[in-house]
Amino acid sequence: MQERMNIVSMIEKTIASKPIYDGKIIKVKVDEVELPNGKTAKREIVNHPGAVAVMAITEDDRMVMVRQFRKPLEKILVEIPAGKLEPGENPETCAERELQEETGYTCKTLHHQASFYTSPGFADELIHLYRAEGVKPGEAQPDEDEFVELLHVTKEEAQRLIENGEIQDAKTILAVYAWKLDASS
């Protein structure tokens, strides 16, 4: 059996940090680090304020999703409602806001399902996934630069959307599989 490495000996010490970009959503920097073996390396790091995602399930057991264009991918994806945290904002408050803005839905309760890093090799974005219960439809109020189509998807349809590549983002795939697991317990 392989011996476990001393955790402290794995830490990279930051020697220098150079800001590269300070944008509306992200900040980018390059850190020079000292590696555990004494050598140095550069790390390109994206700082993100964090986000929420909401798996809202209707009374007839359909997941509320949106279809939208994603510029970095140059394609349209189907996703669960999600959005960026504002500075100091409580994730649950953000989840309620994003659900309502993107879909018009409100909910009686939110239950935290998991928090996960999207790409820990280069970014610190942490997404908080919530399950919305007691959802009620209403009128969506998307941001002025947000164009989404509302969908109500069954488990079978969600699986097909994953298989045909319309759902390709980690948060939505995670939500679909959590939903399917929940039903089997």
Side-chain angles (χ1 to χ4, degrees):
M1 184 171 163
Q2 186 177 1
E3 230 178 275
R4 186 171 175 176
M5 185 181 231
N6 179 340
I7 300 292
V8 175
S9 69
M10 297 173 68
I11 296 172
E12 299 176 355
K13 180 183 173 193
T14 303
I15 299 168
S17 187
K18 179 182 176 187
I20 302 297
Y21 175 76
D22 187 357
K24 180 180 172 186
I25 297 175
I26 63 166
K27 295 179 181 182
V28 180
K29 65 181 180 177
V30 176
D31 283 1
E32 183 177 356
V33 298
E34 181 181 337
L35 301 172
N37 64 5
K39 294 183 180 185
T40 61
K42 295 214 185 284
R43 302 289 189 234
E44 297 172 352
I45 300 170
V46 176
N47 295 126
H48 186 284
V52 300
V54 184
M55 46 187 294
I57 311 301
T58 63
E59 284 184 11
D60 62 348
D61 202 31
R62 293 176 184 267
M63 188 178 286
V64 177
M65 294 188 178
V66 294
R67 178 178 280 127
Q68 63 185 328
F69 180 74
R70 291 303 197 175
K71 182 62 180 166
L73 308 176
E74 294 290 343
K75 63 179 9 177
I76 295 170
L77 293 182
V78 174
E79 303 175 38
I80 59 174
K84 179 179 71 71
L85 285 162
E86 297 300 330
E89 185 176 27
N90 176 297
E92 191 170 308
T93 302
C94 182
E96 290 174 341
R97 174 175 50 80
E98 288 296 334
L99 178 64
Q100 197 280 322
E101 282 179 5
E102 289 188 11
T103 70
Y105 275 83
T106 57
C107 64
K108 281 187 181 176
T109 58
L110 281 173
H111 300 282
H112 182 259
Q113 300 294 290
S115 294
F116 56 93
Y117 292 101
T118 57
S119 298
F122 68 88
D124 65 356
E125 179 185 23
L126 180 65
I127 293 184
H128 306 279
L129 177 63
Y130 287 89
R131 181 182 178 115
E133 294 180 350
V135 297
K136 299 284 182 217
E139 190 171 329
Q141 298 173 343
D143 293 334
E144 64 181 31
D145 64 347
E146 197 170 39
F147 300 90
V148 299
E149 175 189 358
L150 183 63
L151 303 172
H152 299 89
V153 180
T154 66
K155 288 183 183 85
E156 295 77 21
E157 290 167 337
Q159 185 62 45
R160 279 195 301 279
L161 289 167
I162 291 170
E163 290 168 2
N164 74 19
E166 289 184 72
I167 293 176
Q168 288 189 310
D169 69 297
K171 70 182 182 310
T172 304
I173 292 171
L174 177 68
V176 168
Y177 288 127
W179 181 34
K180 288 171 77 169
L181 281 174
D182 186 48
S184 64
S185 50

